[in-house]
Structure formats: structure tokens, C-alpha cells
């Protein structure tokens, strides 16, 4: 399902935000052990946000096309209260007290952050083979790299674990 298809289903009340987010989380639980796309999964906060966004839609509040859409973030974007490792052991315990501008904009637009994705350490490389959090695996051929420093984000979208990713 694409972002536009999901947005249409939400507005037609054929699908709830909670159902859409739960499907993303179910896919993560089912697939991530094989592809290692996520460093941190934010299931509890994602489901709580999904309930609030469903309430908003029911009350006639529509934040736009990203309202209720499950999105993953490369683990380089500061996310308030959520460990942000930059794929490095150096930042393994870093929990920012603020959101990066892109996180503010996504959440303001109604996106639901389902997790932080694996990446090449410090975004300094092209393979997404991470010595601290494991290699991101290509879902079509696990012996091949996912590509880029944002491999986890690419794989999250390619496998439907999220509908969008930064």
C-alpha cells in the first residue's frame, strides 16, 4: 500500500490509524529479524499516537496526507526521549531532549513514527554494514547489501514495515 492509498483508506473509514500502525508493527516483528532494518522499534508510543490520531479524524481534524501514516526515521535524526545512536557505539546511550526539525514537521503533519532504522555508522559509508548493530540485509538476497548509509530506511519501506522513511 502506498502513502496515498493508505491516506484514502483512512479518510474513507475503511481502515483506522491503529490498524495501519499495528500492521506495520506486525511486519516489523515478522521480518526485521531477517533484514535488521531497525535499531529501535517504538511500538508503545506509535500505538498510543495512533489512537490519538484516530480520535482526531473522528472529530473532523485532518492534518493532511500524512495523518496516520507509519513512518520510520534513520537513527541519525534526534527524537525526543528516544535513543538516537547514529549507528555508533559512541552514541549508544544518547537520548535527546528535542526533536530534529524533520521529526517536528512529520509529527505535526500527523505521521506516526514506528521506529529508528539501522544505518551505516555515522552515515559515513555506502553499505549499511554496521559493526555495532549488525548489517542491514537486502530482503531479496540477504548476501547483498541494502545500499547507502540509509539501508534500514530503504528496507523498511521496501518490505512494507513502514510506508515512508527518512
Amino acid at each position: 500500500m502506498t502513502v496515498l492509498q493508505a491516506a484514502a483508506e483512512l479518510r474513507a473509514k475503511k481502515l483506522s490509524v491503529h490498524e495501519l500502525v499495528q500492521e506495520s508493527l506486525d511486519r516489523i516483528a515478522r521480518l526485521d529479524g531477517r533484514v535488521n532494518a531497525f535499531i529501535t522499534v517504538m511500538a508503545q508510543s506509535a500505538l498510543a499516537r495512533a489512537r490519538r490520531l484516530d480520535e482526531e479524524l473522528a472529530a473532523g481534524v485532518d492534518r493532511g496526507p500524512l495523518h496516520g501514516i507509519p513512518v520510520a526515521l534513520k537513527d541519525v535524526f534526534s527524537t525526543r526521549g528516544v535513543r538516537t545512536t547514529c549507528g555508533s557505539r559512541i552514541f549508544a546511550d544518547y537520548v535527546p531532549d528535542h526533536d530534529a526539525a524533520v521529526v517536528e514537521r512529520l509529527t505535526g503533519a500527523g505521521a506516526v513514527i514506528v521506529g529508528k532504522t539501522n544505518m551505516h555508522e555515522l552515515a559515513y559509508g555506502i553499505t549499511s554494514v554496521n559493526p555495532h548493530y549488525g548489517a542491514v540485509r537486502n530482503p531479496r538476497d540477504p548476501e547483498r547489501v541494502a545500499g547507502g548509509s540509509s539501508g534500514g530506511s530503504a528496507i523498511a519501506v521496501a518490505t512494507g514495515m513502514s510506508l515512508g522513511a527518512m
Side-chain angles (χ1 to χ4, degrees), residues 3 69-73 153 156-157 162-166:
V3 170
I69 302 300
V71 174
L73 297 174
S153 293
V157 174
S162 67
L163 295 184
M166 294 300 299

Side-chain angles (χ1 to χ4, degrees), residues 86-87 118-130 148-151:
C86 298
N118 201 352
M119 55 183 282
H120 204 98
E121 185 176 14
L122 301 174
Y124 193 69
I126 60 170
T127 64
S128 291
V129 174
N130 187 300
S149 72
S150 303

Side-chain angles (χ1 to χ4, degrees), residues 20-37:
L20 186 59
V21 169
Q22 186 63 62
E23 173 59 27
S24 284
L25 295 170
D26 289 347
R27 282 179 175 267
I28 293 168
R30 191 169 61 248
L31 301 173
D32 197 47
R34 185 169 52 94
V35 295
N36 198 32

Side-chain angles (χ1 to χ4, degrees), residues 23-92:
E23 173 59 27
S24 284
L25 295 170
D26 289 347
R27 282 179 175 267
I28 293 168
R30 191 169 61 248
L31 301 173
D32 197 47
R34 185 169 52 94
V35 295
N36 198 32
F38 285 86
I39 291 176
T40 303
V41 178
M42 299 166 52
Q44 189 174 15
S45 61
L47 290 171
R49 180 160 169 79
R51 284 189 285 281
R52 289 191 304 275
L53 291 169
D54 273 329
E55 291 169 0
E56 285 184 10
L57 283 176
V61 176
D62 186 341
R63 296 176 186 226
L66 292 180
H67 190 120
I69 302 300
V71 174
L73 297 174
K74 181 177 182 176
D75 200 25
V76 74
F77 296 108
S78 291
T79 310
R80 181 185 351 197
V82 179
R83 181 174 71 143
T84 301
T85 70
C86 298
S88 179
R89 185 176 57 173
I90 296 168
F91 297 108

Side-chain angles (χ1 to χ4, degrees), residues 96-143:
D97 62 358
H98 65 283
D99 285 330
V102 69
V103 178
E104 288 178 354
R105 289 185 176 147
L106 284 167
T107 57
V112 179
I113 310 301
V114 294
K116 308 290 291 286
T117 58
N118 201 352
M119 55 183 282
H120 204 98
E121 185 176 14
L122 301 174
Y124 193 69
I126 60 170
T127 64
S128 291
V129 174
N130 187 300
H132 311 294
Y133 299 100
V136 178
R137 297 286 177 208
N138 186 314
R140 294 198 173 102
D141 183 350
E143 297 305 313

